[in-house]
Amino acid sequence: MGLSVTRGNPETNGLVPPPTEPPYSVQAEVVEDVYAVNTEFEEPQPSTQAESEETKVELRHLIPDTEEDFKAGFRKLREHEHQALGIPKNRDLYRTREDASKNVFKISAARVGEHIKELMTFKFPPGYLWDSYGLTPEGVAEIKTKILNTARTTYPSDDWSKYKRGDIKKVGIANHRYPLRVRYWEEVAKRSQEYQCWFETQIPEGQPEPEVCEAEWIFDSEPAEERDERHSKLRSQIELVGQATYQQFDKYFDSLKDKLLKLAEDKGIETRIAVDERYGEVALNPELTTEDDEDL
């Protein structure tokens, strides 16, 4: 049976409130269906709280604006951002995902890894989320900002230091910012594009963009409560060993590259000397030219 349907506005997710005045009819081939109408229906008004919160989806800048920032290649974390986001100055507290999950985010290391994986869908400066030492203050800031804007459940207090890892299951509440997660991702994408455009104007033409390798693992399960501390330390040690192994390979290949360049330079000089000497001999004595030379 063919029906004539009026589709809703995309901004209302396809939902159209019933009309306030009859009649409301649907054209049909055989049967005419009439919907009951509630004349007292009032169209729901958008939440003023959501509108005010939407304007607060702001991310920290990536493009450097000080000499220290330019040396790093991105905008470093400011003092007031450290305080506002509750990020410790001691990087040992969040050097690895396991450390960060226990001391800062108070969620599982596996969940921290998932947050990082989702963030890495977008463009970030090399060394911004983590460097040779481990997670950076900027990386912790990005993860915490993502959690605040996309997590379904959050802690009742903004001060997460008062909680223990796993307390979210006991005291967690619905995150009022969760409905704005789409706006958050739009801002991440916009900032990512802005940084990429800036970055491309900074590197010399033809120079490859530096690559960042991640020497960490994601853990899929939480250890038993009585073994949590021991396993936490072991996990951190595993991550550090992985980072150290990567750094050793990185240094080895840098050293190998230097040796190969030096060898190529020496061989190049030797070849140039031999060519010049041979050229002089042939130029002065053409009869010395061999058949092999003529074939070249």
Side-chain angles (χ1 to χ4, degrees):
M1 177 175 64
L3 298 178
S4 175
V5 180
T6 302
R7 298 189 179 277
N9 191 324
E11 295 180 356
T12 60
N13 202 21
L15 299 179
V16 180
T20 56
E21 295 182 2
Y24 178 74
S25 63
V26 179
Q27 296 179 356
E29 295 179 352
V30 180
V31 181
E32 181 179 3
D33 296 330
V34 179
Y35 290 89
V37 178
N38 180 7
T39 57
E40 298 180 355
F41 176 85
E42 295 183 0
E43 184 176 354
Q45 299 297 322
S47 172
T48 56
Q49 179 181 4
E51 290 180 351
S52 62
E53 289 292 340
E54 184 176 1
T55 61
K56 297 181 182 179
V57 181
E58 298 178 358
L59 305 179
R60 66 183 315 272
H61 298 294
L62 298 183
I63 300 176
D65 58 3
T66 67
E67 184 177 353
E68 180 186 11
D69 294 345
F70 274 98
K71 290 181 179 178
F74 53 82
R75 191 173 183 272
K76 302 285 287 183
L77 199 70
R78 304 302 197 242
E79 178 65 29
H80 71 276
E81 293 172 325
H82 269 280
Q83 297 177 359
L85 293 172
I87 302 175
K89 290 297 187 66
N90 183 6
R91 288 188 61 182
D92 288 337
L93 294 177
Y94 50 84
R95 184 177 184 181
T96 66
R97 288 179 184 168
E98 180 68 19
D99 293 331
S101 73
K102 181 177 63 175
N103 300 320
V104 179
F105 303 116
K106 308 306 175 68
I107 56 178
S108 69
R111 190 69 187 100
V112 174
E114 292 172 1
H115 283 301
I116 295 179
K117 183 178 180 180
E118 292 169 0
L119 283 171
M120 288 306 297
T121 306
F122 299 89
K123 174 70 179 179
F124 285 94
Y128 180 79
L129 294 179
W130 56 79
D131 54 22
S132 59
Y133 187 77
L135 278 172
T136 63
E138 293 76 22
V140 175
E142 290 297 330
I143 298 171
K144 191 161 188 178
T145 302
K146 178 187 180 302
I147 293 174
L148 292 173
N149 284 279
T150 64
R152 293 177 180 271
T153 308
T154 186
Y155 284 107
S157 172
D158 293 336
D159 181 12
W160 295 357
S161 63
K162 64 175 63 176
Y163 302 108
K164 295 181 180 180
R165 183 169 59 181
D167 282 354
I168 190 73
K169 299 177 182 178
K170 304 174 184 177
V171 302
I173 61 175
N175 183 8
H176 69 280
R177 296 184 62 82
Y178 179 73
L180 303 175
R181 63 195 182 282
V182 175
R183 176 64 183 273
Y184 163 78
W185 286 119
E186 290 175 348
E187 292 296 326
V188 173
K190 177 181 176 182
R191 183 185 60 174
S192 172
Q193 184 177 13
E194 291 175 349
Y195 173 79
Q196 180 64 23
C197 292
W198 173 86
F199 182 82
E200 291 175 352
T201 64
Q202 303 300 310
I203 59 176
E205 185 176 356
Q207 178 177 335
E209 181 178 347
E211 298 181 357
V212 179
C213 295
E214 180 187 359
E216 296 188 62
W217 296 269
I218 297 176
F219 302 102
D220 297 325
S221 61
E222 282 286 282
E225 183 176 354
E226 64 273 10
R227 296 176 297 168
D228 181 73
E229 187 63 26
R230 179 168 60 89
H231 282 196
S232 178
K233 292 180 179 179
L234 290 174
R235 287 174 172 173
S236 294
Q237 292 174 5
I238 290 173
E239 292 187 50
L240 293 177
V241 169
Q243 293 174 3
T245 301
Y246 168 74
Q247 293 173 26
Q248 290 176 358
F249 275 108
D250 193 38
K251 291 179 180 179
Y252 169 75
F253 285 116
D254 283 343
S255 175
L256 181 61
K257 179 183 69 175
D258 293 339
K259 292 180 179 179
L260 291 175
L261 290 175
K262 186 67 170 68
L263 178 62
E265 182 180 344
D266 294 342
K267 292 297 182 181
I269 293 175
E270 294 175 1
T271 302
R272 179 58 185 271
I273 292 174
V275 169
D276 290 344
E277 291 178 349
R278 182 61 177 169
Y279 178 79
E281 293 177 359
V282 173
L284 296 176
N285 302 285
E287 64 277 6
L288 295 179
T289 303
T290 64
E291 293 181 359
D292 290 339
D293 292 332
E294 293 172 349
D295 290 339
L296 292 178

